[in-house]
Amino acid sequence: MLFNRAKFGLLHSTWLVLSLVITGVCGAWYASTWIANGRLPGGGSSVGFACGVFAGLICLFEFALVFKKTWLFRTCRSILGIPLGSARWWMAAHIWLGLLAVPLVMYHTSLHFGGLLSTLLAVAFYIVIASGVLGLVLQNILPKLMTNLVQEETIYSQIDSVGAQLAADAERLVLVFGGQPTTEVHDPAEHDPLAARRARERGLPVVGAARHVGTLVKLSRDPRVPTTAEREGSPELERALQNDVLEFLRTGHGEGGRLGSVSRLKWYFDDLREHVRPEAREVVEQLRALCERRRQLNLQSKIHFWLHCWLSVHLPLSVALVWLLVGHVVGALVYN
Amino acid sequence: MNAPDQPGWESAKQRTRRIALDYYRSWTRLDWAKRGCSALFGLLTAVYVLWTIGGWLVGSEGASKQFSPGPVAGVHQAWNGKCSACHVQFAALRADAEGTRWMLGLFTPQIIAADGTLANPPPAEALGSNRQCLHCHMKNGADHHPLTGSAVELAPQEATCAGCHFDHQGIDADLNRVANEKCTNCHGKLKTYDSTQHNVSAFNVAGHPPFALPATDPGNIKFNHAQHLLPWQMKWEPRAGEPPPSLKMQLVCADCHQFDEAKMRSESGSEFGQVAAGAYSLPIRYEDHCASCHRGDLQVAGGQIPHGLKAAEVREFLAGVVGRESADTAKLSPNQPIPGKKPGDNLAQERDASVQRRLDAILPTLWSPDEEFAPKHEAHCAKCHRFDTPPAAGQMPAVLAANIRSFWFQHAKFDHATHRAVNCADCHPQAEAPPAAATGDIPLDDHLVMIPPLETCVKCHAPGKARDDCAECHRYHAGNWQPHGPGHARRAAGQQDFSDFMRGFPAAGVK
């Protein structure tokens, strides 16, 4: 969910005010109890208990977002006539209630975590909150960064597949220019098992850049077909293709990182451009464009990792948090 | 790459054709990490939580321990994992657990009280908290508080043991260190119940009454602290046939006011229970603290009166001393017959009369309040002692007991050892009173109560300085007056079976 001043809007303002009011009311109640008793209220005191119950219910609501995002409720608008709310409303509630739970938990615990179970619960809670806040910050920064830096953005899971297709395209470019077909023709299906499987199921040959949507279409000449060179090929181009370009396009890594950055990539192809015949320079430019595209996909992969890695902490600990919450409730009621 | 005229340009349609429509069915590494970790964490936590809950249901000590908010105090360590030794399930122990109590009340609106009746709302006793405590800390002895049963009624949650002494604060926690508010709940409004009492709100001049000390020192030893602290005191070293030499010395407070725990207990018996080492001064004893200088004050007629004799014993002792002198003289008489008198009997009568006369001359000097009346270097009891009534002629008055106090506070404790870094005179300035301007004499000060007032204590014991909480000086149950402790009766009455003790309650259940 993106925050900005222009779009903060009524939704977030409402949640912000509501959270501040509840925090203030509970804080005043807590302070008055503290002053009256002369010591920090425990979790079983009126204010501690109320804050604990409220925070517990918030935790359960927060966890409900997991189910809201499943196929069962993703498109469901209401249950038994009760509107479920939009995804935007859910995310706003998730964020603001999660933040509201922090002071409530502090009022409940008075920063004393107690035994092992309740300590685990508190630690899980604070890590979940911290990872959620980190995620919120990252989700507000990185997408803009990605838009600016990665113009060739594609679907994250398809980066390697697209890279393989770019490699096949590069190979074809050099072949068309007059080069020799590689003795070991790259099979893009190796890099996209799903596409290969689906192609084989249909009895189609897998050649060049695999097209696994609809009918396989060959966009260029079959690279397995040896060509009779109408013009003399460029050994420099073929050497660059075999030594650096293909590997970089397929894997995103190259020997010595020669193509790993904008400047290196520029130096590499400027140098190559100086060494090839003038008619091959257009191919060099096209290879450079393919490598630049792959470089951006690499960058997208890194940004995507930071954009979503916090979820690998947030979600698992949220699951643990709910279980620990159950244990804490039982323990608190049995042995208060 | 966005411009169509640039190398490698692709239209949107061309780009989409690079992507499989069912791409979303495959998981990325991040998807695997997120879902895999969720499953793993969820499974591990579920096993842990279900183990703890299951352990509670079957009474497993290790599992139940997971619910513990912290280790219990050292005195309760034997029951650290045995929740049932102190807790009654689904009963809030803590005084401030109103929230939990309300919640439990929703599910158990009718609680069976200890006497079998239904109670709603449940009294603290029925919730079982005190029951478990009092099983060991038996309540058959002194009341929890002198006001128990009076017009002062504590709220049920305050009347529970855990209302003031809640545990699980760590092995080193002192359960007697209750919060001030536990005391001031009642002591802050004592005047409501008894107009002669003082309200106590805090340890300061405004919030705490003056120390309850006697107006004068009830001791019966004539004494002068300042005189004894003057330099060049003369130490008595008797030598045969010679006047005492003048061994000069400087006394300090600790020469007489000595501190030792072990000796204190043996000297004072069990009345005061255990006191910390060095907390109080040992009793002042003539043999330990006076005799080295004042042995000469007990010499009379060439004899040394043993200290501690009663009045009749002093007379008998002196009669023996004086009679021995007469007998020594009479040994010469048989060889020197006196005309008109029988040898022997007449001499004995004469000797008896002589002894009586001598005694009549000596004894009044012993108790005469006028020191000058007593010969120099002769015994003079009245120099230090006071007597109950003016003596009849020829009779020894009874010497009043010294009555030198070691304990001044009946409801508070003090530890000299923790204050040893401070000069004695800073708290007891009266001991160094200057000489009177008119005579230059240093007056007796034994009637003065030299316990410092509250104003002296609050110089250090104040918020932000030395501790100033009630429990720093006061012990509610078992301070210096042991009978206040609820456990006292258990110690005096009967003990438990070992297995019952370790279980926390009898095998047949809590009665």
Side-chain angles (χ1 to χ4, degrees):
Chain A
M1 170 157 288
L2 296 178
F3 286 106
N4 59 55
R5 289 178 186 174
K7 295 183 179 177
F8 201 74
L10 184 63
L11 180 63
H12 291 296
S13 302
T14 307
W15 279 111
L16 174 63
V17 171
L18 187 67
S19 301
L20 290 177
V21 167
I22 293 174
T23 302
V25 169
C26 291
W29 187 11
Y30 182 86
S32 64
T33 307
W34 184 3
I35 292 169
N37 294 340
R39 60 188 304 274
L40 295 172
S45 64
S46 296
V47 58
F49 183 77
C51 290
V53 169
F54 196 9
L57 292 175
I58 285 177
C59 288
L60 295 179
F61 172 80
E62 301 283 272
F63 192 71
L65 187 65
V66 173
F67 300 102
K68 178 68 174 66
K69 286 192 170 184
T70 59
W71 61 270
L72 201 58
F73 298 103
R74 191 180 294 144
T75 56
C76 183
R77 296 293 179 90
S78 66
I79 295 179
L80 301 175
I82 303 171
L84 281 182
S86 64
R88 180 179 164 80
W89 182 91
W90 270 83
M91 187 49 70
H94 187 82
I95 291 169
W96 288 107
L97 287 177
L99 293 174
L100 172 63
V102 175
L104 294 180
V105 167
M106 292 173 77
Y107 295 149
H108 176 67
T109 62
S110 294
L111 296 182
H112 291 129
F113 296 157
L116 181 60
L117 193 145
S118 53
T119 300
L120 287 175
L121 175 61
V123 169
F125 173 78
Y126 286 116
I127 293 179
V128 165
I129 292 295
S131 60
V133 170
L134 175 67
L136 182 63
V137 172
L138 293 177
Q139 296 272 356
N140 275 275
I141 294 175
L142 295 182
K144 295 172 188 170
L145 196 67
M146 193 185 290
T147 303
N148 291 333
L149 299 179
V150 186
Q151 293 156 354
E152 299 290 348
E153 181 183 355
T154 187
I155 294 169
Y156 171 73
S157 63
Q158 299 300 300
I159 286 177
D160 284 343
S161 173
V162 170
Q165 294 176 38
L166 297 180
D169 289 350
E171 220 171 359
R172 257 192 309 277
L173 277 172
V174 174
L175 194 61
V176 167
F177 182 71
Q180 294 299 317
T182 55
T183 52
E184 189 177 330
V185 175
H186 168 62
D187 184 356
E190 291 176 3
H191 295 271
D192 196 340
L194 179 64
R197 178 172 57 78
R198 297 177 72 82
R200 289 193 192 97
E201 285 173 0
R202 298 178 188 182
L204 297 172
V206 179
V207 291
R211 299 289 184 268
H212 34 67
V213 180
T215 307
L216 284 180
V217 178
K218 290 185 283 187
L219 292 180
S220 59
R221 296 168 56 188
D222 188 338
R224 292 188 186 190
V225 180
T227 58
T228 51
E230 296 175 354
R231 52 186 169 183
E232 189 182 352
S234 171
E236 293 82 4
L237 265 183
E238 290 190 24
R239 196 161 46 246
L241 181 74
Q242 296 303 328
N243 291 346
D244 298 312
V245 174
L246 282 181
E247 185 186 0
F248 180 70
L249 291 175
R250 287 170 190 158
T251 64
H253 309 291
E255 188 181 348
R258 292 177 196 162
L259 305 173
S261 68
V262 176
S263 54
R264 286 182 183 179
L265 197 138
K266 181 176 183 300
W267 296 336
Y268 182 88
F269 283 103
D270 284 350
D271 183 62
L272 183 61
R273 185 186 170 90
E274 294 297 322
H275 287 83
V276 297
R277 299 195 313 273
E279 58 268 28
R281 287 176 183 166
E282 187 181 352
V283 179
V284 172
E285 282 304 307
Q286 290 186 339
L287 287 180
R288 190 194 61 77
L290 291 175
C291 288
E292 168 62 17
R293 195 166 168 185
R294 177 66 208 202
R295 189 194 64 78
Q296 291 193 20
L297 294 181
N298 286 350
L299 185 58
Q300 180 195 345
S301 181
K302 290 175 183 172
I303 294 176
H304 185 92
F305 171 80
W306 287 108
L307 198 56
H308 294 275
C309 67
W310 60 274
L311 265 175
S312 298
V313 175
H314 190 74
L315 185 61
L317 285 182
S318 297
V319 178
L321 176 68
V322 171
W323 275 110
L324 291 169
L325 186 62
V326 171
H328 174 66
V329 169
V330 171
L333 292 180
V334 173
Y335 299 120
N336 189 282
Chain B
M1 268 67 67
N2 292 327
D5 58 344
Q6 289 186 344
W9 179 84
E10 279 185 348
S11 67
K13 187 172 183 180
Q14 285 173 316
R15 292 189 179 205
T16 56
R17 290 175 69 182
R18 290 185 182 274
I19 307 299
L21 283 178
D22 56 352
Y23 71 89
Y24 56 86
R25 291 186 180 178
S26 59
W27 285 5
T28 65
R29 278 170 295 182
L30 283 174
D31 291 330
W32 279 109
K34 185 173 64 178
R35 291 179 169 88
C37 288
S38 298
L40 181 64
F41 272 67
L43 184 66
L44 290 176
T45 320
V47 169
Y48 170 68
V49 171
L50 293 176
W51 171 66
T52 57
I53 295 176
W56 156 60
L57 290 174
V58 301
S60 162
E61 189 175 314
S64 299
K65 221 172 177 177
Q66 308 302 312
F67 294 125
S68 171
V72 295
V75 292
H76 292 149
Q77 273 297 303
W79 306 277
N80 194 29
K82 294 177 181 171
C83 308
S84 57
C86 303
H87 287 270
V88 173
Q89 294 184 1
F90 298 105
L93 262 183
R94 288 179 55 135
D96 64 349
E98 309 96 352
T100 313
R101 211 167 276 122
W102 170 81
M103 177 81 172
L104 294 169
L106 293 180
F107 298 102
T108 54
Q110 297 291 323
I111 294 287
I112 300 175
D115 59 358
T117 60
L118 290 176
N120 189 13
E125 282 278 340
L127 290 175
S129 55
N130 283 3
R131 239 178 354 181
Q132 300 291 87
C133 302
L134 295 177
H135 181 67
C136 293
H137 301 275
M138 206 172 170
K139 199 187 171 183
N140 291 344
D143 280 334
H144 179 78
H145 187 273
L147 290 178
T148 301
S150 72
V152 179
E153 290 184 1
L154 297 171
Q157 64 270 24
E158 293 289 349
T160 63
C161 302
C164 296
H165 309 281
F166 49 87
D167 212 326
H168 293 288
Q169 299 182 86
I171 191 169
D172 296 325
D174 183 356
L175 298 185
N176 288 325
R177 285 269 181 193
V178 301
N180 279 5
E181 292 67 30
K182 298 296 177 189
C183 307
T184 55
N185 271 351
C186 292
H187 288 262
K189 52 191 176 187
L190 280 186
K191 273 195 170 181
T192 310
Y193 307 102
D194 185 349
S195 59
T196 63
Q197 299 290 333
H198 295 269
N199 289 341
V200 184
S201 56
F203 187 66
N204 52 46
V205 176
H208 193 284
F211 296 149
L213 296 167
T216 57
D217 190 332
N220 292 314
I221 297 297
K222 298 174 187 173
F223 196 74
N224 186 321
H225 284 89
Q227 179 69 48
H228 283 77
L229 291 172
L230 287 176
W232 311 116
Q233 296 293 305
M234 306 287 285
K235 187 172 183 181
W236 176 266
E237 283 287 337
R239 294 179 185 176
E242 293 181 7
S246 54
L247 298 179
K248 296 176 179 178
M249 58 188 295
Q250 168 69 65
L251 292 175
V252 294
C253 303
D255 288 333
C256 297
H257 298 286
Q258 296 168 335
F259 304 91
D260 180 82
E261 186 262 345
K263 196 171 183 182
M264 160 66 76
R265 296 188 66 188
S266 63
E267 294 291 333
S268 61
S270 61
E271 180 186 6
F272 300 109
Q274 185 174 5
V275 295
Y280 295 97
S281 107
L282 296 171
I284 303 294
R285 289 158 50 103
Y286 171 84
E287 290 78 9
D288 295 338
H289 306 113
C290 310
S292 62
C293 295
H294 288 276
R295 191 171 292 118
D297 291 336
L298 293 178
Q299 277 207 339
V300 64
Q304 181 84 19
I305 303 175
H307 187 264
L309 293 185
K310 293 186 174 10
E313 294 169 339
V314 170
R315 182 184 179 84
E316 196 168 329
F317 174 83
L318 286 178
V321 172
V322 174
R324 191 167 58 247
E325 283 183 342
S326 301
D328 291 343
T329 306
K331 282 177 184 173
L332 302 174
S333 62
N335 300 325
Q336 298 172 351
I338 299 172
K341 298 194 174 188
K342 290 181 180 177
D345 289 346
N346 290 337
L347 283 176
Q349 289 172 356
E350 183 63 28
R351 187 176 64 237
D352 289 345
S354 171
V355 167
Q356 188 59 47
R357 283 194 299 276
R358 188 76 192 279
L359 283 178
D360 290 343
I362 293 174
L363 285 174
T365 68
L366 295 179
W367 58 82
S368 168
D370 183 3
E371 192 175 355
E372 293 302 320
F373 183 71
K376 286 291 181 187
H377 307 303
E378 285 292 304
H380 185 213
C381 304
K383 182 176 183 179
C384 301
H385 288 283
R386 291 193 174 93
F387 306 96
D388 56 351
T389 54
Q395 297 296 317
M396 280 286 290
V399 176
L400 289 174
N403 199 22
I404 300 173
R405 280 194 174 188
S406 287
F407 297 92
W408 285 91
F409 300 122
Q410 290 197 357
H411 300 293
K413 66 187 179 71
F414 185 79
D415 191 346
H416 276 97
T418 59
H419 295 79
R420 61 187 178 277
V422 182
N423 288 329
C424 304
D426 287 348
C427 296
H428 307 285
Q430 304 95 321
E432 293 185 344
T439 63
D441 294 335
I442 298 177
L444 292 176
D445 59 9
D446 56 83
H447 63 289
L448 297 177
V449 176
M450 296 191 182
I451 303 302
L454 177 72
E455 287 78 0
T456 303
C457 302
V458 297
K459 287 179 185 173
C460 295
H461 292 272
K465 298 181 181 176
R467 295 186 65 154
D468 67 334
D469 52 313
C470 305
E472 180 69 7
C473 300
H474 297 285
R475 284 290 182 269
Y476 188 77
H477 297 302
N480 293 328
W481 301 94
Q482 191 77 2
H484 279 199
H488 178 70
R490 169 64 79 189
R491 288 190 288 274
Q495 282 74 39
Q496 302 176 68
D497 178 73
F498 178 73
S499 56
D500 285 353
F501 179 71
M502 291 306 294
R503 189 184 299 109
F505 51 84
V510 179
K511 295 173 182 174

